Amino acid sequence: MSPDVLEKLVSLCKRRGFIFQSSEIYGGAGSVWDYGPLGVELKKNLKDRWWHAMVRARDDIEGLDAAILMHPRVWEASGHVAGFTDPLVDCKACKARFRADQVAQAQCPRKPSRHPGEFADCQLTEPRLFNLMFKTFMGPVEDSAAVVYLRPETAQGIYVNFLNVQQATRQKVPFGIAQIGKAFRNEITPGNFIFRTREFEQMEMQFFVDPGQPSGGRTDMEWFEYWKEQRLQWHLALGLERDRLQFHQHTERELAHYARAAFDVQFDFGGTLGFQEIEGVHHRGDFDLSQHQQFSGKRLEYLDQPANRRYVPFVIETSVGADRTLLAVLVNGYREEAVEGEEEGRTVLRILPSLAPIKAGVFPLVKKDGMPEFAEKLAADLRPHFPVFHDESGAIGRRYRRQDEVGTPFCLTVDGQTMTDGTVTVRDRDTLTQERVAADRVREYVTRRLSA
Ligand code: GAP
């Protein structure tokens, strides 16, 4: 993503009500963002799509919505209290902070052509470890016994509920538990709009498999390969271009000590960001359940009744950021295009129609001869079925452009012919072709095109 495209997207998102800076009137809160009317719809559509693919369309995955605040021992067991840290260096001269392992890529705030530490005045401290978890207190007393954390990942809520869900649903291994929820990380170097933020949403699924022998016809490694492929296909079906997606295999150095294998799905954001992780697929072995078993003193074993075996399952995790994927969708779909026969080009978001926050713009060609009333009634008839936007102001070309910019796949125009034969024009965002469809068939037409 060139800085230029990122800047344009930030501006478009604010102007059209996708994403606003949090607490903007107070000067903004650091790297926290609010989703406006169109953004909340787009994000909801993205999350619904994931939920449908991962939970609704399968009989081997159950849904969960665990609390953000958890028992503090959870984070000791998970390793986050001791190890969820980044090395931090401060510059005593300019007060800027950097991740010690990223100094070589960072810019000195006072001399941007140099890296921190290279400018004569820089006074970098020795690296110190900084824990990324946000701390707060539970109850009225603010002492160390009351410390709780805002969860830095949703996964732990799944592990501690593993047996609750398994016993309530009577699922048999292999099966998964999925959830969507907020996570919080006090990132040292957040930035690039919603790419790296301090509050974000994750869509995570933990799939429990037999550690010793094939379950559901696959070994643990075969399940790992299966989920890698499933998740890549999901991103492709989202409309992300094939050559902008790749896998990155974690090297020995990157691999968590307990992980048996890990791949990131990376998306090419272009510009200085280039290929970056949007999802992680991890083989976590039995680390998480074993740790919780040890720290809680409660058995977290699965009972395979037919075989009369008890074991702690292995976990294959898929973990994708909702906000980061949404940014990938915006970058992937953003175009500035020339339009034949028109002086001004257009900005268009070529996003999957089912993701679009508004499905159809409904316009009267002119504000007379019964067209506004017809359009208003058409919009009211369609509104219970999908989001529509009724717009009568400005030239029709400008109204089309306004919808192109927010990715609306169809524009329905009521014109003179409508008043005689009851048909409206349906303009396609991507091909710019227009066809006439009977107004009372438009709902069916749009619904069919949305599901394609
Ligand atoms: N439970 C595993 C886990 O949390 P992760 O790689 O740290 O793994 C998974 O995070 C995904 O969450 C990332 O691929 C990314 O999409 C998203 N994510 C992580 N940190 C983020 C941040 N600070 N801002 C936005 N998204 C983030």
Side-chain angles (χ1 to χ4, degrees), residues 80 84 152-156 159 185 187 190 194-204 206 250 264-265 277-280 282 284 317-325:
H80 284 81
F84 195 51
E153 61 172 14
T154 59
Q156 302 302 324
Y159 301 135
R185 295 183 189 178
E187 299 278 2
I194 54 168
F195 178 79
R196 190 181 306 283
T197 55
R198 295 195 165 106
E199 174 177 341
F200 54 97
E201 265 184 294
Q202 290 186 316
M203 307 187 283
E204 296 199 301
Q206 315 295 323
H250 284 210
D264 294 337
V265 179
E277 171 189 347
I278 52 175
E279 171 152 10
H282 312 124
R284 301 178 66 116
E317 169 184 69
T318 71
S319 174
V320 59
D323 311 82
R324 203 174 279 185
T325 307

Side-chain angles (χ1 to χ4, degrees), residues 35-49:
Y35 284 78
L38 295 189
V40 73
E41 286 290 333
L42 175 58
K43 196 174 182 190
K44 185 173 182 312
N45 292 339
L46 184 68
K47 291 188 290 185
D48 285 351
R49 212 179 151 80

Side-chain angles (χ1 to χ4, degrees), residues 12 90 181 193 209 272 286 299 327 336 370 373 407 413 425 442:
L12 187 155
D90 289 292
F193 194 25
V209 303
T272 49
D286 61 7
R299 283 170 91 168
L327 183 61
E336 289 172 4
E373 294 77 15
T413 304
T425 62
V442 162

